[in-house]
Amino acid sequence: MTSETTRTDAVTAETGTEPGELRDLIRGARVVLWDFDGPICRLFAGHSAERVATDLASWLEGRGLHGLLSESERDSLDPHVVLRAVDRRHPGSDLVAELEERLTQEELKATASAMPTPYADPLIRTWTAVGVRLAITTNNSPRVVREYLTSRALGRCFAPHLYGRTQQLNHLKPDPHCVNRALNAMGAAPATALMIGDTPSDLSAARAAGVPFLGYARNDRKHKLLRDAGATVVVASLEPVLRMVGGRRRA
């Protein structure tokens, strides 16, 4: 068995994807748009997102606004679900602005215990070294992204292209607003870009913007969600991506 065959078999086993599909995505990318929480780090690894969602709901209840959330929204344990729900009922209000700021402060606390995604840091640096431009397209606060990247000495790999949550919450993914902002600012055609995300909303945003998509799924549940949503190339680890990008650097 040749070393090339061994590498091909390893990529297929790791990703469940034919290596040619992954290689084509990587070779075609002149710009890579990263989702933040998931592909780059687990933001809430040590600061529970479920607790944050519960605290936001409790804060609303303390202000006599229990009825703003449906039972399913309260039970979602997702802070972005809570935020979106309030914005749908009171768009652009001071209440939404205050709730968004509370979420941002919780995200900032979470950066101290965020867990880097394996192979993400060297992949970011290697892609930068081969001349590929990088941007962040996320539903998290850009303040949070900037603080985390600075802590990992990765800020220069992305600056100034950090496109995150704004006061216009209707622009959160799956809306492609942050993806289109990145493409426009970088002067990149959608077909020359690649988006890396770990949720169906990331996939939807990429599709709406016409950008090829690489799914990252750290567990079977996320893998199934991405596949069921129609993602065709999904990796369980960024290691095979790093190998291919590193090989491009040596070529």
Side-chain angles (χ1 to χ4, degrees), residues 162-178:
L162 308 180
Y163 304 99
R165 190 173 63 237
T166 70
Q167 292 290 322
Q168 294 177 291
L169 300 181
N170 59 310
H171 287 161
L172 293 176
K173 290 177 287 186
D175 189 281
H177 180 72
C178 64

Side-chain angles (χ1 to χ4, degrees), residues 39 104 150 155 172 177 192 207 224 240:
T104 295
T150 298
L172 293 176
H177 180 72
T192 67
R207 278 178 168 168
K224 185 177 188 304

Side-chain angles (χ1 to χ4, degrees), residues 26 122-123 126-127 130 239-251:
I26 292 169
L123 176 55
T126 302
W127 243 325
V130 300
E239 197 268 344
V241 184
L242 175 59
R243 283 206 308 267
M244 288 185 179
V245 175
R248 174 178 167 180
R249 182 179 184 179
R250 291 189 295 272

